Amino acid sequence: MNDRSSTTTEIKVELSHRCHMITDTLKTALWEADRHLAVLEVALHDWHAVQVTDLSEVEDPNRLRILDQLLYRYTKLQDTLGQRLVPATLAVLSEPFEEWPMIDRLNRLEKLGYIEVDSWLSWRETRNRLAQEYPEQDDTRFAAILAAVSTAAEVAASYRNWHAKLNAIFLDDKAYER
C-alpha cells in the first residue's frame, strides 16, 4: 500500500469514527429527552385529572407530588433540549455551530424547521417566572404554575415533532434505544 492510499484510508476511518460519535451523541440526547418526556406526559395527564382550580388545592400531598414531578420533568426536558439536543442536531446536520451563541443556534434550527425561537424564548421566560418566589401573592404564584403546565405541554409537543423530524431523516425508530 502506498502513502497516498494509506492516507486516504486513514481519512475514511477518521470520518467514519466522527460520524459514529455524532450519531451516538444524538442517540444519547434523544434517549435522555424521551425519558423525561415519558414521565412529563404522565404527570400532565395526572395534573389534568385532578383539576386544580386554585393554589390552596396544590397543598394536597398527591397534587403537590404531581406538580413537583411535572415541573421537574419540564425543566429537565428543556435542559436536555438546550444542552444536548440542540448541539447534537446541529452536529449531525454538519452545521459549524461550536462558536455560535445559543440564539444563533436556535435561529438556525428554526430555519431548518426543528423549533420556533419565539416559543423557546417564551418557555425560558415562563421557567424564569416560575423560579421567582411570590410568598404574599397567591394569584401570581398560581398563574406562574398554570403557565408552566401549559408551557410543559408545548415543550413536549415541540420535542415530539423535533424527534419525528430527526427520525425521518437520520434514525430508524429503534436505533437510539439501549
Side-chain angles (χ1 to χ4, degrees):
M1 190 185 273
N2 64 32
D3 287 341
R4 186 175 190 191
S5 175
S6 176
T7 302
T8 302
T9 301
E10 289 171 5
I11 290 171
K12 287 180 182 178
V13 168
E14 177 63 24
L15 288 174
S16 176
H17 178 69
R18 284 185 191 171
C19 183
H20 286 294
M21 283 180 37
I22 290 169
T23 303
D24 287 347
T25 300
L26 177 61
K27 290 175 187 176
T28 300
L30 290 170
W31 177 85
E32 184 178 336
D34 284 349
R35 298 316 168 258
H36 295 306
L37 176 66
V39 178
L40 175 60
E41 289 180 326
V42 170
L44 282 165
H45 176 268
D46 292 349
W47 174 263
H48 293 297
V50 296
Q51 299 181 358
V52 176
T53 57
D54 66 46
L55 190 60
S56 66
E57 293 175 349
V58 174
E59 298 305 319
D60 170 75
N62 186 50
R63 290 178 177 147
L64 186 56
R65 178 193 55 79
I66 293 167
L67 180 61
D68 283 349
Q69 190 66 70
L70 191 156
L71 296 178
Y72 176 75
R73 292 303 175 156
Y74 158 59
T75 58
K76 292 301 286 182
L77 179 58
Q78 193 175 28
D79 286 347
T80 299
L81 298 182
Q83 295 168 8
R84 291 184 175 272
L85 194 57
V86 166
T89 301
L90 290 169
V92 80
L93 295 170
S94 300
E95 295 287 337
F97 69 93
E98 290 85 0
E99 302 296 322
W100 298 353
M102 186 61 159
I103 191 67
D104 291 347
R105 294 174 183 200
L106 296 174
N107 283 327
R108 184 63 183 143
L109 287 172
E110 181 175 58
K111 286 180 183 172
L112 296 169
Y114 287 91
I115 61 167
E116 293 179 14
V117 173
D118 289 343
S119 294
W120 184 279
L121 297 175
S122 174
W123 303 336
R124 295 300 298 184
E125 176 60 30
T126 299
R127 188 169 164 184
N128 291 341
R129 278 197 344 248
L130 190 62
Q132 302 298 316
E133 293 292 326
Y134 305 101
E136 304 299 322
Q137 301 172 3
D138 288 353
D139 290 343
T140 303
R141 286 175 39 217
F142 191 62
I145 289 169
L146 293 180
V149 170
S150 175
T151 300
E154 292 173 18
V155 171
S158 180
Y159 169 65
R160 283 191 300 275
N161 292 335
W162 188 343
H163 189 166
K165 185 173 176 93
L166 287 170
N167 257 358
I169 297 171
F170 296 105
L171 305 169
D172 76 19
D173 289 334
K174 302 294 180 188
Y176 63 93
E177 290 185 4
R178 294 174 187 256

